[in-house]
Amino acid sequence: MTKRIHNFSAGPAALPLAVLEKAQSEIVNFMDAGMSLMEMSHRSKEFTQVIESAESACRRLLNVPDTHAILFLQGGASLQFSMVPMNIAKSGQSIDLINTGSWSKKAIKEFKKESELNVLASSEDKNFSYIPNVDSESFNKDASFAYITSNNTIAGTQWQSFPNTNGVPLVADMSSDIFSKRINVADFGLIFAGAQKNIGPSGVTLVIVDKKLVERADEALPTMLQYRTHIKAESLYNTPPTFGIYMCGLVFEWLEAQGGVAAIEEINNRKSAKLYAAIDASDFYISPVETSSRSKMNVVFRVRHDEALEATFVKEATAAGLSGLKGHRSVGGLRASIYNACPEASVDALIDFMKAFEKANR
Ligand SMILES: *Cc1c(COP(=O)(O)O)cnc(C)c1O
């Protein structure tokens, strides 16, 4: 048996062991073709089957309606900060955005290059420790679209329900919580997610987009930067990241075998509830996040009285086989990323470690 540790990395993040083993078993000779998937044409019948089944599994898992296309692109979630406004911002109109942290700010920086921008609300006043309340009247009915970051990977906050935008198309960066809970895709104009948190390896970006929105794009935009190019070519306009898409497909298969998104949501609720309960039950640890805004994917916490102990915590946890618990370099503290593929047993092991660490250091 290969040694596996408890992996709480924020991204690239843990993948299901069953998925890694399946890929391992197929890596040298894929579907009896006598070569690896990595060595064959993206137009081969084998890869055609891989990408088609990945797309249909994604469609089933999230109930994606026929109005929306599913794309496997490159450039990370970060390229979407540019592609989104280039394609769907209307000239002379503004974008409505809610600023909930570092990733929203990166979107703001790029949106401003393409459009007028209206920041409707921000939680920067309190270190991004909460999700602001925004009522439907706040949205400007002429806005090109409204934008949110559904889960804030760094601050550890998450939208618990999505705002009613009064008919303005809603665009969401779901990089760190897509497939973690049920959502109604029809409520969104566009959803994007870098794969490396909850979907697969880095190098693939999933985009789910309402096909009528992409018709806004100017045909003069670079061909590769137009969604319509990739819709028309079914993500095969150029050579896609074939191995990465294959891995995403295996993760989707694994997710369906777990019972789908509703089943994993229940597990995620349980995992996060027990971890927050352990934090709240102790006066040694503290969650800096407002209770009603807490993320079920990225659990951020601090050592209450002595933040200097956090470095020791990370060091000793690593030695004990618990990896990736250091908070983001921009905010410090501790963070456990407990995405879909993080087993409940890893959360249990973390809670045991936290209790032992508290006992030894209080
Ligand atoms: C990780 C992350 C990104 C950046 O993803 P890249 O694929 O590295 O560009 C953007 N938004 C959120 C919410 C993230 O968690």
Side-chain angles (χ1 to χ4, degrees), residues 20-283:
L20 295 171
E21 288 175 339
K22 174 96 196 280
Q24 182 181 43
S25 76
E26 295 183 323
I27 202 156
V28 171
N29 181 8
F30 187 71
M31 284 172 75
D32 241 359
M35 58 177 134
S36 173
L37 175 73
M38 283 181 274
E39 303 171 294
M40 67 175 69
S41 167
H42 56 294
R43 315 274 176 204
S44 63
K45 69 172 185 341
E46 289 86 354
F47 185 70
T48 304
Q49 191 179 318
V50 165
I51 193 166
E52 283 177 358
S53 46
E55 190 204 316
S56 48
C58 173
R59 202 171 279 283
R60 283 192 302 273
L61 281 162
L62 289 178
N63 255 318
V64 179
D66 290 339
T67 47
H68 288 55
I70 296 171
L71 304 174
F72 298 98
L73 305 182
Q74 300 186 67
S78 299
L79 183 60
Q80 295 307 306
F81 299 152
S82 301
M83 272 181 82
V84 164
M86 282 176 156
N87 281 268
I88 67 170
K90 298 183 186 168
S91 85
Q93 291 173 334
S94 72
I95 298 168
D96 280 351
L97 176 144
I98 297 142
N99 179 12
T100 53
S102 316
W103 295 115
S104 307
K105 285 169 85 169
K106 291 211 166 150
I108 289 173
K109 181 176 170 206
E110 302 306 317
F111 288 6
K112 279 185 171 163
K113 297 179 182 179
E114 302 294 330
S115 170
E116 288 297 308
L117 181 73
N118 186 10
V119 177
L120 289 190
S122 168
S123 51
E124 193 158 21
D125 57 337
K126 289 185 185 161
N127 261 330
F128 296 117
S129 60
Y130 68 101
I131 300 288
N133 247 330
V134 188
D135 57 33
S136 62
E137 282 86 77
S138 317
F139 292 91
N140 172 358
K141 65 175 186 353
D142 295 324
S144 296
F145 59 92
Y147 183 90
I148 60 167
T149 310
S150 63
N151 182 75
N152 297 278
T153 325
I154 296 172
T157 62
Q158 185 175 25
W159 287 81
Q160 312 294 319
S161 63
F162 296 113
N164 174 351
T165 58
N166 236 341
V168 177
L170 181 59
V171 175
D173 174 359
M174 292 198 186
S175 292
S176 50
D177 70 348
I178 193 163
F179 295 106
S180 71
K181 60 176 187 181
R182 288 160 297 164
I183 54 169
N184 184 14
V185 173
D187 291 344
F188 295 86
L190 192 150
I191 293 167
F192 65 86
Q196 67 273 20
K197 277 98 185 203
N198 234 348
I199 308 178
S202 60
V204 181
T205 312
L206 181 70
V207 173
I208 302 173
V209 59
D210 187 334
K211 287 181 270 190
K212 67 178 191 296
L213 269 188
V214 310
E215 291 313 324
R216 291 180 182 179
D218 188 336
E219 302 268 4
L221 279 179
T223 310
M224 274 292 284
L225 296 183
Q226 293 183 40
Y227 293 116
R228 65 159 81 80
T229 302
H230 301 289
I231 293 176
K232 212 177 293 166
E234 300 180 319
S235 302
L236 290 163
Y237 176 73
N238 71 325
T239 318
T242 53
F243 191 75
I245 293 169
Y246 158 72
M247 289 294 288
C248 295
L250 291 185
V251 170
F252 295 154
E253 233 172 67
W254 171 82
L255 207 45
E256 290 195 304
Q258 307 308 299
V261 172
I264 209 82
E265 178 176 9
E266 209 170 293
I267 298 171
N268 288 333
N269 286 344
R270 203 162 62 223
K271 277 156 53 185
S272 56
K274 63 166 90 164
L275 188 47
Y276 283 117
I279 294 166
D280 291 343
S282 133
D283 61 3

